[in-house]
Amino acid sequence: MIDADNVYLSENKVSNRDKLLTLSTNLKVAIVGATGAVGKTLLELFDERNFDYGQIWLIASSRSAGQIIHHRGVNHQVYDLETFDFRGVDLVFSSAGTATSKNWGRRIAAQGPVVIDNTNAFRMEPDVGLIVPQVNSNQVLHKLKSRIIANPNCTTIPMVRALQPVHQEYSLNKLVISTYQAASGGGIAGLEQFTSGSQLVLDNPEAIPEAGRFQAPLPFNLIPRIDALLDSGFTLEEQKIAQESRKIMGLPKLNVTATAVRVPVMNCHSQAIYFECDSRLDYSRLTTILDDTGGIILYRGIGEAEGYPTPRGVSGSDHVHVGRVRIDPDNDRAGWMWVVSDNLRVGAALNAIQIAEDLIQSESSVLCASAY
Ligand SMILES: NC(=O)c1ccc[n+]([C@@H]2O[C@H](COP(=O)([O-])OP(=O)(O)OC[C@H]3O[C@@H](n4cnc5c(N)ncnc54)[C@H](OP(=O)(O)O)[C@@H]3O)[C@@H](O)[C@H]2O)c1
């Protein structure tokens, strides 16, 4: 499979990838949440991308402390976050839930490392950058006094990556998003509850599976609520999509509204995006700019495989898959697209690694690695 970030790196960023790898050879890295769905995907991507480090520590809660995880020929013990000393660590990838990050993120950063945080804990904090390298990598060093960089929500990342080229050409002014989010967004427990619950219902159609990580049983169901329900009537997930896209794209007045739905799909989040622009859309130009954007695969045909991506077809891919691009027949400044991407990769671990690569490549002293 072509690696989306190789496209990104070779087209936009790195003129000498070997140099980047040499710089990172002495990097001391920790993963908080290493036993989780995002943590495991990070380790897979480290291998696939030859992300180099000198030393690595794998960290989780006391539940998993002492477990052994095999990576790159080495048996790594899992350490307990409560007792781990982060002094001397250069870079921490953190994906252990919002509450854990709120509790630990700033304390870890105060010990020296830069923390790339995958949770909702810091995304809208004014002193923390919210980075999608393909969109706002120029800001990766801007707010590093906090020593925390936030990774956006798993639907926001592919959304802004697909919309950034549209905005550059046509100036976005309004977005209406409907998401179709997979069980793996609920982590390892969510996936497990979905698969075992599905089997339960197949064996006995009268059985009622547990809701578990979700707000209702997910097998053979749709749940129009992800995360907390707010006083506004929107959910926290919907609010994240709106607030984060404005912050990343630097468009505080962008009109964004969303409905986020959990769907009975194993992996990969999909979204239907309606966008309105300041200027008239031209279909040929619109599809050309999407096609020319690194890391995006555009489906131009009308049949399945050519016409639109599906979650099953996209799982394991590092690209943002875009299909069903249409211009609204009643408004030629508005259009639709269907976007599917692997939430564990594009929506989480890949983006975090790309941020790290930007930091390493920046050759500034933000990472206190002995490599510098
Ligand atoms: N899944 C996605 O698609 C996705 C995408 C983007 C962002 N995220 C965010 O990333 C975070 C992790 O998601 P996930 O899907 O990887 O969840 P997960 O599969 O449930 O994994 C959670 C990880 O956090 C650890 N953990 C939980 N509580 C902890 C504590 N008090 N102290 C230390 N470690 C603790 C767990 O360790 P134990 O093994 O010890 O329990 C596990 O390693 C969440 O905040 C989620 O919102 C997830």
Side-chain angles (χ1 to χ4, degrees):
M1 177 195 306
I2 302 167
D3 174 345
D5 187 54
N6 281 338
V7 176
Y8 161 67
L9 285 169
S10 61
E11 285 184 356
N12 302 318
K13 300 299 291 184
V14 176
S15 55
N16 184 348
R17 192 172 172 122
D18 289 344
K19 187 165 93 181
L20 185 156
L21 293 175
T22 309
L23 282 170
S24 58
T25 313
N26 292 326
L27 206 63
K28 297 183 178 65
V29 174
I31 300 179
V32 177
T35 54
V38 174
K40 287 181 172 181
T41 308
L42 269 168
L43 287 172
E44 279 170 31
L45 281 167
F46 279 1
D47 275 353
E48 290 172 25
R49 302 174 58 70
N50 290 326
F51 182 88
D52 226 340
Y53 51 78
Q55 259 180 290
I56 192 166
W57 291 272
L58 305 184
I59 299 164
S61 77
S62 56
R63 288 181 293 272
S64 300
Q67 264 184 29
I68 299 295
I69 295 179
H70 194 72
H71 187 242
R72 289 190 181 164
V74 177
N75 284 332
H76 294 275
Q77 182 188 333
V78 175
Y79 293 92
D80 183 352
L81 174 62
E82 294 277 343
T83 52
F84 192 81
D85 184 350
F86 285 89
R87 282 173 297 181
V89 178
D90 303 310
L91 185 58
V92 173
F93 294 91
S94 183
S95 59
T98 297
T100 307
S101 285
K102 280 191 171 158
N103 190 12
W104 285 95
R106 291 200 187 264
R107 283 199 265 169
I108 295 171
Q111 291 182 58
V114 169
V115 178
I116 300 176
D117 189 82
N118 266 287
T119 78
N120 190 39
F122 306 110
R123 290 173 185 156
M124 297 312 295
E125 298 279 308
D127 67 333
V128 173
L130 184 62
I131 303 295
V132 176
Q134 293 80 355
V135 178
N136 62 348
S137 66
N138 58 336
Q139 293 183 18
V140 79
L141 299 176
H142 279 190
K143 293 180 175 170
L144 264 181
K145 202 165 168 222
S146 67
R147 299 196 74 72
I148 298 177
I149 298 175
N151 217 47
N153 178 268
C154 43
T155 47
T156 311
I157 293 169
M159 182 187 110
V160 296
R161 284 183 57 179
L163 287 172
Q164 177 74 355
V166 179
H167 175 64
Q168 282 171 338
E169 187 81 10
Y170 296 109
S171 284
L172 293 170
N173 60 51
K174 179 176 178 179
L175 303 173
V176 181
I177 325 271
S178 301
T179 74
Y180 306 77
Q181 298 183 217
S184 62
I188 287 179
L191 254 180
E192 208 290 309
Q193 286 152 3
F194 172 58
T195 47
S196 61
S198 299
Q199 193 58 54
L200 185 76
V201 177
L202 284 171
D203 291 344
N204 172 13
E206 303 301 315
I208 300 175
E210 61 170 325
R213 281 276 171 106
F214 308 110
Q215 277 72 24
L218 185 58
F220 307 99
N221 207 1
L222 296 172
I223 309 171
R225 175 182 162 188
I226 300 177
D227 217 322
L229 202 51
L230 307 175
D231 289 344
S232 61
F234 285 84
T235 62
L236 184 55
E237 186 80 355
E238 291 157 357
Q239 181 177 285
K240 288 177 216 166
I241 292 167
Q243 290 182 335
E244 292 176 19
S245 55
R246 291 187 194 111
K247 180 168 174 176
I248 298 160
M249 297 181 88
L251 299 171
K253 298 206 168 127
L254 184 65
N255 187 338
V256 191
T257 189
T259 301
V261 180
R262 186 75 67 191
V263 297
V265 161
M266 295 277 278
N267 190 38
C268 293
H269 293 349
S270 308
Q271 44 195 315
I273 302 175
Y274 172 84
F275 53 97
E276 279 183 12
C277 302
D278 288 343
S279 45
R280 283 203 184 93
L281 301 169
D282 173 78
Y283 181 79
S284 167
R285 178 76 189 137
L286 178 61
T287 48
T288 299
I289 58 173
L290 286 166
D291 219 3
D292 288 349
T293 301
I296 288 182
I297 292 183
L298 180 69
Y299 296 59
R300 281 173 177 274
I302 50 169
E304 191 172 4
E306 303 98 46
Y308 48 87
T310 63
R312 270 189 84 92
V314 161
S315 191
S317 164
D318 288 343
H319 287 82
V320 176
H321 295 252
V322 179
R324 303 218 49 220
V325 176
R326 289 151 283 161
I327 295 179
D328 187 337
D330 297 323
N331 179 359
D332 60 9
R333 291 163 205 259
W336 285 93
M337 61 170 86
W338 171 252
V339 176
V340 187
S341 65
D342 189 318
N343 45 295
L344 293 172
R345 287 174 169 254
V346 175
L350 178 65
N351 197 73
I353 293 178
Q354 288 172 329
I355 291 171
E357 288 172 344
D358 271 358
L359 285 177
I360 294 164
Q361 192 208 338
S362 74
E363 296 184 41
S364 75
S365 56
V366 287
L367 295 173
C368 45
S370 44
Y372 299 97

